[in-house]
Amino acid sequence: MKREWMTIIEHEPIARNTFRLVLQGTIANDVREPGQFVHIQVSNDFYLRRPVSIAEVDREEGKMTLLYKLMGKGTEELSNKHVGDTIDVLGPAGSGFPLDEIDSNHALLIGGGIGVPPLYQLAKQLHEKGVPVTSVLGFQSKEEAFFTKEFEEYGDVRVVTNDGTLGHRGLVTDVLEGSFDTYFACGPTAMLRAVSEKLDGMQGYLSMEERMGCGIGACLACVVPANDEKGYRRICCDGPVFDAKEVVLS
Amino acid sequence: MMLPGLELKNPIMPASGCFGFGKEFAPFYDLSELGAVIMKAATGEQRFGNGTPRVAESASGMLNAIGLQNPGVDAIIEHEIPFLREYDVPVIANVAGSTVEEYVEVARKISRFVDALELNISCPNVKEGGVQFGTDPALAKHVTEAVVQVSQVPVYVKLSPNVTDIVQLAKAVEEAGASGLSMINTLTGMRIDPKTRKPIIANQVGGLSGAAIKPVAVRMVYQVYEAVDIPIIGMGGIETVDDVIEFLLAGASAVAIGSANFKNPLVCKEIIEELPQALRSYGFTSVEDVIGGAHRETATTGVLRT
């Protein structure tokens, strides 16, 4: 992991309050697994960096794509940055989806809202490994939906919106039927809990988020209870991806 | 430079709780470059800390309520201190507890493995103990005496700013045998989210740190410097080399850098590298030359040195 001033080479809105940001720099060369993230210092006025997951990476070209949602002052200021500007990035951080260990005949990917992005690079790499992929993508409404076409390149896609303006009306847990042997989920903790209860017994991986401090494992701000003697995991460095059996979702 | 128990290459050290036990920062730079390392708090038993969220941003600062999460004093001695001991850097153990007995037990055990103790009587984020010892001069004196008695190394007492008169507390722990002071801990604060109508931090109240508290810290160091004869490790919102000089002028003999490590994990190393040039540019010949300078400056009209 290192700190680097990365250059913005593309930056555009792709859905309501959602932006696509492409950064160039050597941190992209260091990305090991889908599901890792970068910790962005929007400007020196902010005391906490913003963790943003990596949606796509091109190691050879040194480029990575981040998708983020406007959540407050920090992300709003980030959205005002222009192509050609540089930003202070710490990364790549965290451990992602352990692709090498995964032996699947049909993978189920479940993303909720701004939890969808890290699954995109995962879908791509599973597809490259020859694993059939079905992606369940949940959004609040059509205006918030993104990347539904892009995921189709790597397998079946089931779109769900809370208000029914696109795809199935309801929740991602309504459309999880199928003969899958492994699932990968990223989204709000309530969604992760519902998914892991519904798919209890299936091998699963959860990517979690939490308000973070240092992003490197030192401050213990972003912890989640764990099912062992140690009793906890640090989301920023032990995760953000965990085996579903490893952590306790509250 | 020498402080009780500490031979410092420079006056810069990471503050307790912002640097873990050093491992996470070791990939960024050689920890031997630091003046010292102040470890995350140790308690008698393992503690899991508070619920999440544990941090929230605020103007020029942040709130935290980690809740003294740590693996317990025995595990720290066995698994954490040996790593730091591989570096050529003095190690200070931050000692916390809920009762005088716990403080004493932790201090007795850990003091054999470190160069100094920082007695944490000022953590605002735990329900029992912690800050109650730091806001009552009689209790502060009592716990300091007990810890000084069992410690093999000099004891620095970390003072809370959440008091009416910090000088009273400083004098009480000096009388109790403290070899030095470290100040300040965080100021208690709260943020509420209009969308949820609830405090953002699960513990509701958190400790405010960052540039927002620096003027409070400088003022307190200045006041305490005039009242005591023991050295002060100053901290609270330091993020530049000028901030370091400000604390030294107020009366600190060394400084600790906390939240700024989250903005920039290399901040301690960068400030250490910038310090000699900054001292020269302000007309100082050494760090010792700066300490307490604001109390001695006699020029009646401002002399600007740049």
Side-chain angles (χ1 to χ4, degrees):
Chain A
M1 187 171 11
K2 63 187 167 204
R3 180 187 187 221
E4 180 182 23
W5 288 85
M6 297 186 83
T7 305
I8 298 175
I9 54 174
E10 291 176 54
H11 197 186
E12 55 172 1
I14 55 162
R16 183 159 70 198
N17 293 336
T18 310
F19 289 79
R20 176 175 169 273
L21 175 68
V22 184
L23 299 177
Q24 180 119 44
T26 63
I27 285 177
N29 310 126
D30 299 343
V31 175
R32 297 184 312 275
E33 301 160 329
Q36 289 189 284
F37 70 97
V38 289
H39 216 25
I40 295 179
Q41 177 74 350
V42 179
S43 83
N44 204 38
D45 295 336
F46 294 96
Y47 251 84
L48 297 173
R49 288 172 178 263
R50 268 57 176 175
V52 184
S53 61
I54 298 167
E56 195 179 6
V57 64
D58 183 334
R59 291 180 194 83
E60 282 75 47
E61 295 284 313
K63 289 197 304 194
M64 61 186 189
T65 303
L66 313 177
L67 305 184
Y68 67 92
K69 191 164 185 175
L70 297 185
M71 300 297 290
K73 282 184 195 155
T75 40
E76 266 161 36
E77 188 160 327
L78 180 58
S79 73
N80 293 328
K81 303 256 181 200
H82 302 290
V83 169
D85 289 352
T86 56
I87 50 172
D88 176 353
V89 180
L90 193 61
S95 340
F97 297 102
L99 263 184
D100 294 341
E101 296 169 19
I102 290 159
D103 181 24
S104 171
N105 291 315
H106 196 162
L108 176 62
L109 276 52
I110 308 144
I114 205 62
V116 167
L119 301 179
Y120 184 63
Q121 181 69 27
L122 175 68
K124 193 175 175 178
Q125 289 187 235
L126 284 170
H127 181 73
E128 282 165 8
K129 270 182 72 161
V131 178
V133 171
T134 293
S135 304
V136 173
L137 309 178
F139 302 96
Q140 283 176 349
S141 69
K142 187 182 175 185
E143 283 70 39
E144 261 118 359
F146 56 86
F147 268 40
T148 54
K149 288 275 172 296
E150 284 83 345
F151 271 86
E152 282 174 8
E153 280 183 54
Y154 306 120
D156 302 333
V157 175
R158 300 173 187 177
V159 178
V160 182
T161 52
N162 297 146
D163 64 1
T165 47
L166 187 68
H168 174 84
R169 175 187 184 141
L171 302 170
V172 291
T173 42
D174 301 341
V175 294
L176 302 181
E177 295 74 29
S179 53
F180 311 108
D181 52 29
T182 313
Y183 75 89
F184 304 86
C186 184
T189 305
M191 184 202 96
L192 296 180
R193 192 174 55 239
V195 165
S196 63
E197 281 167 9
K198 187 120 181 180
L199 300 178
D200 189 27
M202 192 190 296
Q203 176 61 46
Y205 297 91
L206 307 174
S207 180
M208 304 195 63
E209 83 167 352
E210 183 55 79
R211 281 174 186 262
M212 278 182 195
C214 65
I216 62 174
C219 77
L220 303 184
C222 61
V223 296
V224 56
N227 282 315
D228 62 7
E229 207 177 305
K230 190 180 177 195
Y232 73 96
R233 295 286 183 277
R234 297 166 296 181
I235 291 174
C236 67
C237 63
D238 301 321
V241 176
F242 298 99
D243 188 305
K245 294 185 289 293
E246 194 179 354
V247 289
V248 183
L249 304 178
S250 54
Chain B
M1 58 185 295
M2 295 293 298
L3 289 182
L6 308 169
E7 195 181 333
L8 304 174
K9 290 195 268 293
N10 61 67
I12 314 292
M13 53 190 92
S16 183
C18 299
F19 207 72
F21 299 99
K23 274 179 194 156
E24 292 80 11
F25 286 83
F28 289 94
Y29 60 92
D30 180 358
L31 303 184
S32 302
E33 293 182 33
L34 293 165
V37 170
I38 312 181
M39 294 193 296
K40 183 160 177 57
T43 53
E45 303 295 328
Q46 179 178 23
R47 283 183 67 108
F48 291 112
N50 297 323
T52 56
R54 293 175 168 189
V55 289
E57 199 169 51
S58 61
S60 299
M62 58 174 283
L63 293 167
N64 89 81
I66 308 297
L68 294 181
Q69 177 162 6
N70 79 96
V73 63
D74 295 330
I76 291 171
I77 291 168
E78 192 178 343
H79 302 298
E80 307 292 349
I81 294 177
F83 173 81
L84 279 172
R85 280 305 186 200
E86 288 171 21
Y87 294 89
D88 175 27
V89 65
V91 175
I92 304 172
N94 182 291
V95 171
S98 303
T99 60
V100 175
E101 291 71 30
E102 186 179 0
Y103 278 109
V104 165
E105 180 208 350
V106 176
R108 178 187 286 129
K109 284 181 174 172
I110 209 164
S111 67
R112 292 189 289 122
F113 301 92
V114 295
D115 301 294
L117 301 186
E118 181 182 62
L119 182 57
N120 185 355
I121 55 169
S122 45
C123 177
N125 297 326
V126 290
K127 294 217 162 40
E128 293 166 348
V131 76
Q132 81 187 57
F133 291 101
T135 51
D136 177 335
L139 278 176
K141 190 177 174 193
H142 176 53
V143 70
T144 303
E145 275 169 352
V147 165
V148 166
Q149 204 166 22
V150 298
S151 177
Q152 312 274 322
V153 291
V155 176
Y156 293 73
V157 179
K158 187 164 187 176
L159 299 182
S160 170
N162 302 302
V163 295
T164 312
D165 181 8
I166 197 162
V167 170
Q168 245 192 319
L169 269 297
K171 283 178 161 172
V173 301
E174 181 183 39
E175 224 173 276
S179 299
L181 301 170
S182 82
M183 56 190 288
I184 57 175
N185 207 317
T186 55
L187 284 148
T188 55
M190 181 185 281
R191 275 203 60 207
I192 297 172
D193 184 347
K195 294 193 281 288
T196 62
R197 305 180 184 180
K198 291 198 282 199
I200 294 175
I201 287 188
N203 187 53
Q204 302 197 323
V205 171
L208 178 64
S209 60
I213 71 166
K214 200 189 80 184
V216 177
V218 170
R219 181 266 290 179
M220 289 183 160
V221 169
Y222 188 96
Q223 287 179 319
V224 167
Y225 177 81
E226 298 204 324
V228 301
D229 293 320
I230 50 179
I232 299 167
I233 302 172
M235 65 199 73
I238 295 175
E239 53 183 300
T240 66
V241 71
D242 276 16
D243 295 338
V244 172
I245 291 174
E246 199 174 341
F247 271 85
L248 297 177
L249 285 170
S253 295
V255 298
I257 298 176
S259 323
N261 286 293
F262 300 169
K263 286 174 116 170
N264 173 13
L266 294 155
V267 67
C268 290
K269 174 190 164 68
E270 288 175 5
I271 288 179
I272 288 166
E273 286 167 355
E274 291 164 11
L275 186 60
Q277 171 59 34
L279 291 176
R280 276 196 297 279
S281 75
Y282 290 116
F284 298 110
T285 52
S286 67
V287 170
E288 288 84 348
D289 196 18
V290 194
I291 299 166
H295 302 263
R296 297 189 298 270
E297 179 59 33
T298 52
T300 46
T301 50
V303 179
L304 291 180
R305 304 170 184 90
T306 54

